[in-house]
């Protein structure tokens, strides 16, 4: 069932029927008995959440659940356009740098590209080579590095987890009542139009009770969420730029996939004069300022015009553990 639906959306030749894809934009506040998705209301705790640069006030966030997929939540774009610009720039300029690990193959790319992909891409003048470098970037790993072959984390393969991303996740974790969440491993996925991610479960983490946070930026994904086996029919939802998907509870170990990226126009151009950051140590303040400038933002903007970026953050260890055993 899962694979059949995956293929329906992945088809290259024809345009797939999108009428069953759940769009959270079309769900209103009034709960309907029979609807597949419903909006959750939070009223009390959220007033104590710390403010975070680039996030709207939690009172304005819209959180959705899917009736048939308990534990799966979507917080519909809680970011300001400015905030989205910041995270996109982090994923392109900074996160692919050494000591983080990228997919770029040593036989195909020089050490300079493999250790600072974005810088080399910007400096490359040859259009064919630029396109080759751009399209080759598919993932980078942070913190405990995901091992794509063994699917086992290793204490010896680990780099520092970015503090800004860890603090961002803490805000969402606290919002949902997970006050002890620790960001310990992340995969940043880069999806050029036409790429996909096939059905899988994320079970490498010894801790399956902690939620998984997944951030979408740039072009829209069709995301499939299924059950614990491939026999169950998945539900298709849109994940748009800025959306935060949370896989918690029963959905944490469910099959999921991204069969297709859909190009949509979005400009991230709404940048009202925010009050200057009073040297908050939550984000890279220089970058936060730089991305407001249209010249600085331009190369990032052209990257996401035909790509999607996903940041997929997990806690690895059990609470209180300091390392893998
Ligand atoms: C993953 C993953 C989903 C996405 O990285 O494990 O499932 O939305 N990503 O890109
Ligand atoms: Mn996954």
């Amino acid at each position: 069932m899962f694979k059949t639906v995956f293929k329906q959306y992945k088809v290259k030749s024809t345009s797939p029927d999108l009428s069953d894809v759940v769009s959270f934009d079309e769900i209103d506040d009034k709960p309907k008995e029979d609807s597949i998705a419903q909006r959750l209301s939070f009223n009390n705790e959220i007033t104590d959440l710390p403010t975070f640069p680039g996030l709207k006030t939690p009172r304005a966030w819209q959180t959705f659940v899917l009736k048939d997929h308990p534990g799966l939540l979507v917080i519909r774009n809680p970011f300001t356009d400015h905030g989205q610009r910041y995270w996109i720039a982090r994923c392109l300029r900074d996160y692919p740098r050494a000591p983080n690990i990228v997919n770029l193959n040593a036989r195909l790319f020089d050490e300079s590209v493999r250790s600072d992909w974005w810088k080399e891409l910007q400096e490359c003048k040859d259009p064919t080579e630029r396109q080759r470098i751009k399209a080759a970037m598919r993932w980078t790993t942070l913190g405990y590095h995901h091992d794509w072959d063994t699917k086992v984390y290793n204490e010896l393969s680990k780099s520092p987890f970015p503090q800004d991303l860890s603090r961002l996740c803490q805000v969402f974790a606290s919002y949902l009542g997970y006050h002890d969440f620790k960001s310990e491993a992340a995969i940043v996925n880069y999806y050029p139009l036409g790429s996909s991610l096939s059905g899988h479960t994320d079970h490498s983490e010894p801790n399956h009770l902690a939620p998984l946070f997944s951030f979408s930026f740039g072009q829209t994904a069709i995301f499939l969420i299924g059950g614990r086996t491939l026999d169950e029919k998945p539900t298709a939802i849109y994940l748009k730029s800025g959306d935060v998907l949370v896989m918690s509870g029963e959905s944490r170990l469910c099959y999921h996939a991204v069969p297709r990226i859909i190009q949509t126009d979005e400009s991230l151009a709404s940048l009202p004069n925010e009050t200057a950051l009073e040297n908050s140590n939550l984000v890279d303040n220089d970058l936060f300022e730089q991305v407001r400038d249209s010249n600085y933002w331009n190369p990032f903007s052209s990257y996401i015009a035909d790509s999607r970026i996903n940041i997929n953050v997990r806690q690895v260890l059990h609470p209180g553990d300091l390392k893998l055993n």
Side-chain angles (χ1 to χ4, degrees):
M1 265 316 238
F2 194 99
K3 289 184 177 162
T4 315
V5 177
F6 182 85
K7 281 187 203 138
Q8 271 165 23
Y9 288 111
K10 192 178 153 77
V11 279
K12 285 238 160 67
S13 48
T14 53
S15 38
D17 176 1
L18 302 178
S19 55
D20 282 343
V21 185
V22 176
S23 169
F24 298 104
D25 291 340
E26 285 153 26
I27 296 161
D28 51 34
D29 292 353
K30 292 180 216 69
K32 292 193 197 68
E33 286 290 306
D34 57 341
S35 60
I36 305 177
Q38 295 212 329
R39 195 172 150 192
L40 277 189
S41 49
F42 287 74
N43 6 28
N44 25 25
E45 319 83 85
I46 62 176
T47 39
D48 341 313
L49 279 185
T51 56
F52 194 94
L55 284 181
K56 297 173 192 161
T57 164
R59 283 184 292 278
W61 298 357
Q62 299 187 314
T63 305
F64 297 93
V65 289
L66 293 178
K67 191 169 89 227
D68 297 336
H69 302 276
L72 188 96
L73 291 96
V74 175
I75 306 170
R76 176 80 186 89
N77 189 13
F79 295 91
T80 61
D81 280 8
H82 186 183
Q84 289 202 53
R85 284 189 180 196
Y86 174 81
W87 292 106
I88 291 164
R90 286 287 277 159
C91 289
L92 294 171
R93 187 193 74 168
D94 299 335
Y95 294 159
R97 278 191 207 148
N100 300 334
I101 295 179
V102 296
N103 67 296
L104 303 173
N105 188 306
R107 289 185 308 259
L108 302 174
F109 295 95
D110 299 349
E111 181 50 31
S112 54
V113 178
R114 292 192 299 125
S115 62
D116 197 344
W117 165 77
W118 184 254
K119 176 164 173 279
E120 294 302 309
L121 178 62
Q122 298 317 304
E123 287 174 0
C124 176
K125 296 285 175 272
D126 171 32
T128 315
E129 179 62 1
R130 269 187 70 87
Q131 186 50 35
R132 188 180 81 96
I133 297 176
K134 178 183 170 189
M137 174 55 78
R138 298 304 306 277
W139 54 260
T140 177
T141 53
L142 323 172
Y144 279 109
H145 296 295
H146 183 71
D147 185 317
W148 301 84
D149 302 319
T150 65
K151 311 253 189 257
V152 178
Y153 291 109
N154 182 329
E155 206 54 51
L156 301 175
S157 177
K158 165 181 169 184
S159 53
F161 196 95
Q163 254 191 33
D164 55 352
L165 182 55
S166 164
R167 297 218 163 106
L168 177 76
C169 289
Q170 253 168 32
V171 174
F172 291 105
S174 306
Y175 172 65
L176 300 173
Y178 293 94
H179 295 285
D180 302 326
F181 180 82
K182 289 201 170 59
S183 299
E184 291 167 333
I187 303 175
V188 183
N189 296 291
Y190 305 84
Y191 294 88
L193 290 176
S195 63
S196 60
L197 177 69
S198 50
H200 66 278
T201 60
D202 294 307
H203 52 258
S204 302
E205 299 72 26
N207 187 336
H208 291 156
L209 295 174
L212 179 158
F213 293 94
S214 170
F215 303 88
S216 293
F217 296 107
Q219 301 307 312
T220 299
I222 295 181
F223 180 87
L224 299 183
I225 177 69
R228 294 288 286 258
T229 70
L230 287 170
D231 300 334
E232 284 159 70
K233 187 179 178 198
T235 303
I237 63 176
Y238 287 113
L239 289 180
K240 299 185 178 172
S241 197
D243 289 351
V244 182
L245 175 101
V246 185
M247 296 175 78
S248 67
E250 286 181 49
S251 79
R252 176 65 183 77
L253 293 174
C254 286
Y255 275 93
H256 56 283
V258 177
R260 195 180 192 92
I261 308 297
I262 294 177
Q263 202 166 20
T264 42
D265 298 314
E266 261 208 70
S267 68
L268 304 179
S270 158
L271 302 177
N273 276 322
E274 285 174 35
T275 42
L277 283 181
E278 50 295 317
N279 261 336
S280 112
N281 57 359
L282 298 169
V283 294
D284 175 334
N285 294 302
D286 292 340
L287 181 62
F288 202 80
E289 267 318 297
Q290 282 168 313
V291 292
R292 295 178 65 86
D293 172 27
S294 60
N295 282 328
Y296 192 83
W297 170 244
N298 234 336
F300 301 105
S301 173
S302 71
Y303 181 89
I304 58 152
D306 56 8
S307 307
R308 168 178 185 257
I309 299 173
N310 168 250
I311 317 179
N312 211 273
V313 182
R314 303 101 190 265
Q315 174 163 345
V316 172
L317 304 176
H318 291 293
D321 282 3
L322 295 174
K323 56 183 174 66
L324 295 161
N325 43 36

